[in-house]
Amino acid sequence: GITKATLENTRWALTELHAEPITLEKKPYLMFAKKSMVVNGFGGCNQLAGSYELSGQKIKLNNIAATRMFCQETMSVETSFLQS
């Protein structure tokens, strides 16, 4: 059986960005918490968090904050991920 994933309460790993596969060992991800409407995740080096709103099939991320460590090997992926 295949289980249908829902947006909320599912860990969404980044597998491709700008048509390029993500090959990092620890993949960036986002998780959306339904009850609190909080999004949290990992960019490849830093943790991130904020809130989100749903309107039909649209999602709006608000007040996203991230820690600011520097990781030589993953910063280009993380920067592009956060900008997207």
Side-chain angles (χ1 to χ4, degrees), residues 25-38:
E25 186 176 324
K26 292 184 177 181
K27 294 200 180 334
Y29 70 86
L30 292 175
M31 289 185 67
F32 300 89
K34 186 174 184 173
K35 287 186 179 181
S36 61
M37 299 301 287
V38 168

Side-chain angles (χ1 to χ4, degrees), residues 1 39 42 55 59:
V39 58
F42 174 69
S55 178
I59 186 168

Side-chain angles (χ1 to χ4, degrees), residues 11-16 27-30:
R11 182 179 173 135
W12 293 98
L14 185 67
T15 58
E16 184 178 290
K27 294 200 180 334
Y29 70 86
L30 292 175

Side-chain angles (χ1 to χ4, degrees), residues 12-66:
W12 293 98
L14 185 67
T15 58
E16 184 178 290
L17 184 63
H18 305 300
E20 294 292 327
I22 301 300
T23 58
L24 301 175
E25 186 176 324
K26 292 184 177 181
K27 294 200 180 334
Y29 70 86
L30 292 175
M31 289 185 67
F32 300 89
K34 186 174 184 173
K35 287 186 179 181
S36 61
M37 299 301 287
V38 168
V39 58
N40 64 56
F42 174 69
C45 178
N46 291 284
Q47 300 295 316
L48 59 110
S51 62
Y52 70 97
E53 300 172 37
L54 295 176
S55 178
Q57 292 190 359
K58 293 183 180 185
I59 186 168
K60 180 180 178 184
L61 303 179
N62 300 307
N63 303 315
I64 301 297

